[in-house]
C-alpha cells in the first residue's frame, strides 16, 4: 500500500518565524512530488513542485531526498495568511501498468499550520 | 481562462440513492481525475481518465464509476449510496504529462442522510 506520512500538527507559530514541515513516502518508484496548500473547506492548491536539486519560490523552499524517501518544506518569515493545511503529495505514475497510465496522486493527511500575530 | 469547474457544489442524498457529479477540465487539459476527501483526511484517489480511457483506479468499490466525454469533461457516478460516502468530491485536471501538478476544482460536497 502506498503511503505518505506527515505530522498532523497543529503547528502554532508566531508571525515572522520559520517553520519546517517534513513527510516520508513509501513507494520508492514514485515519480514526482508536490506540496499543496488547502484552506478550510476549499480545494487543494498547488504550492510548489519538489525536485531533488531543491527549489525555492520566494519565502518557500522545498527539498526532496530520494534515498531517504523524504520531502521537506520550509517557510521563512511566516505571514498570517500562511495559516492553512499543507499537504505532501506524491504522484505514482506507473508507465508499466496495464493501462500504461496513472496511479493517481497520493496525499498525506496534511499538516495544520496556525500563524499567530 | 476558466479553471476546473464542478457541479453541483452541494448535494444531499438519502442512503441507497444514486448520484452523478460533473467536471469540466481546464481548456486544453485532456486528463481528469477524481478524489474523495473526508473530514480530517487528505484526498483519496478514485479514478483517472485520459483521452476518454480509464488510466488509473483507486481502491474504491464497484459502486463508483466514471467516464470521460469527447470534450474531456467527466462524470463520476456513485450507486447505492452509503452514509460513509459523505465527503468532498474533487476533480482535478492536468496536461498530457501526468508528472506535473494537478489543478483542482472547488469540489462537490455530498451529504448522505
Amino acid at each position: 500500500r502506498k503511503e505518505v506520512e506527515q505530522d498532523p500538527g497543529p503547528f502554532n507559530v508566531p508571525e515572522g518565524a520559520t517553520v519546517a514541515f517534513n513527510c516520508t513516502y513509501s513507494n520508492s518508484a514514485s515519480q514526482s512530488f508536490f506540496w499543496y496548500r488547502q484552506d478550510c473547506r476549499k480545494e487543494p492548491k498547488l504550492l510548489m513542485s519538489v525536485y531533488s536539486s531543491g527549489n525555492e519560490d520566494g519565502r518557500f523552499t522545498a527539498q526532496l531526498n530520494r534515498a531517504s524517501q523524504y520531502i521537506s518544506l520550509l517557510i521563512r518569515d511566516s505571514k498570517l495568511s500562511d495559516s492553512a493545511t499543507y499537504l505532501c503529495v506524491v504522484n505514482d505514475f506507473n508507465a508499466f501498468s496495464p493501462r500504461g497510465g496513472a496511479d493517481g496522486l497520493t496525499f498525506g493527511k496534511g499538516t495544520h499550520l496556525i500563524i499567530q500575530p | 481562462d476558466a479553471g476546473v469547474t464542478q457541479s453541483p457544489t452541494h448535494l444531499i442524498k438519502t442512503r441507497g440513492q444514486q448520484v452523478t457529479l460533473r467536471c469540466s477540465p481546464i481548456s486544453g487539459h485532456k486528463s481528469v481525475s477524481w478524489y474523495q476527501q473526508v473530514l480530517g483526511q487528505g484526498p483519496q484517489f478514485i479514478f483517472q481518465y485520459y483521452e476518454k480511457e480509464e488510466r488509473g483506479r483507486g481502491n474504491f468499490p464497484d459502486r463508483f464509476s466514471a467516464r470521460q466525454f469527447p470534450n474531456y469533461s467527466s462524470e463520476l457516478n456513485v450507486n447505492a449510496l452509503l452514509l460513509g460516502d459523505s465527503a468532498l468530491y474533487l476533480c482535478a485536471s492536468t496536461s498530457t504529462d501526468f508528472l506535473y501538478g494537478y489543478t483542482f476544482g472547488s469540489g462537490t460536497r455530498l451529504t448522505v442522510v
Side-chain angles (χ1 to χ4, degrees):
Chain A
R1 179 179 171 179
K2 301 166 188 170
E3 292 184 343
V4 175
E5 299 288 342
Q6 291 182 253
D7 182 342
F11 284 36
N12 288 280
V13 175
E15 193 175 7
T18 296
V19 60
F21 301 139
N22 306 310
C23 89
T24 57
Y25 61 95
S26 63
N27 183 9
S28 59
S30 295
Q31 297 286 321
S32 50
F33 310 87
F34 311 95
W35 284 101
Y36 276 75
R37 169 194 169 129
Q38 188 171 27
D39 294 292
C40 187
R41 301 184 72 81
K42 298 285 189 181
E43 74 275 20
K45 293 186 177 178
L46 180 63
L47 182 64
M48 57 197 310
S49 300
V50 189
Y51 306 114
S52 297
S53 55
N55 48 305
E56 185 174 317
D57 182 3
R59 298 181 293 109
F60 299 84
T61 301
Q63 195 80 42
L64 166 66
N65 184 323
R66 282 189 180 270
S68 302
Q69 294 177 208
Y70 172 95
I71 306 165
S72 65
L73 176 68
L74 187 75
I75 305 175
R76 292 180 298 278
D77 187 24
S78 54
K79 312 291 185 189
L80 294 176
S81 58
D82 293 333
S83 297
T85 297
Y86 290 82
L87 297 159
C88 179
V89 185
V90 172
N91 190 353
D92 290 316
F93 175 76
N94 182 359
F96 302 103
S97 74
R99 303 182 191 89
D103 289 346
L105 300 177
T106 301
F107 285 78
K109 292 182 179 180
T111 298
H112 189 43
L113 174 65
I114 301 169
I115 304 299
Q116 297 172 333
Chain B
D1 282 344
V4 179
T5 57
Q6 291 187 245
S7 63
T9 55
H10 295 83
L11 205 51
I12 299 175
K13 291 284 190 178
T14 57
R15 281 177 295 176
Q17 283 189 313
Q18 176 264 339
V19 67
T20 298
L21 310 181
R22 295 176 176 82
C23 171
S24 293
I26 290 172
S27 177
H29 283 190
K30 298 180 179 179
S31 177
V32 168
S33 52
W34 288 94
Y35 293 80
Q36 181 197 65
Q37 186 175 25
V38 299
L39 199 61
Q41 302 290 319
Q44 296 290 313
F45 172 63
I46 310 175
F47 286 110
Q48 178 140 13
Y49 277 78
Y50 173 65
E51 287 284 14
K52 301 174 289 274
E53 289 188 1
E54 182 184 303
R55 299 297 292 271
R57 173 186 286 254
N59 188 25
F60 279 80
D62 292 343
R63 300 184 295 108
F64 288 76
S65 63
R67 54 180 175 168
Q68 187 176 32
F69 299 99
N71 65 354
Y72 303 111
S73 67
S74 178
E75 286 183 351
L76 175 70
N77 295 284
V78 187
N79 294 321
L81 286 167
L82 304 173
L83 295 179
D85 294 331
S86 296
L88 178 67
Y89 288 85
L90 295 160
C91 172
S93 78
T94 187
S95 62
T96 51
D97 189 333
F98 298 131
L99 297 180
Y100 291 102
Y102 291 51
T103 302
F104 284 84
S106 56
T108 294
R109 192 163 297 279
L110 172 65
T111 302
V112 182
V113 297

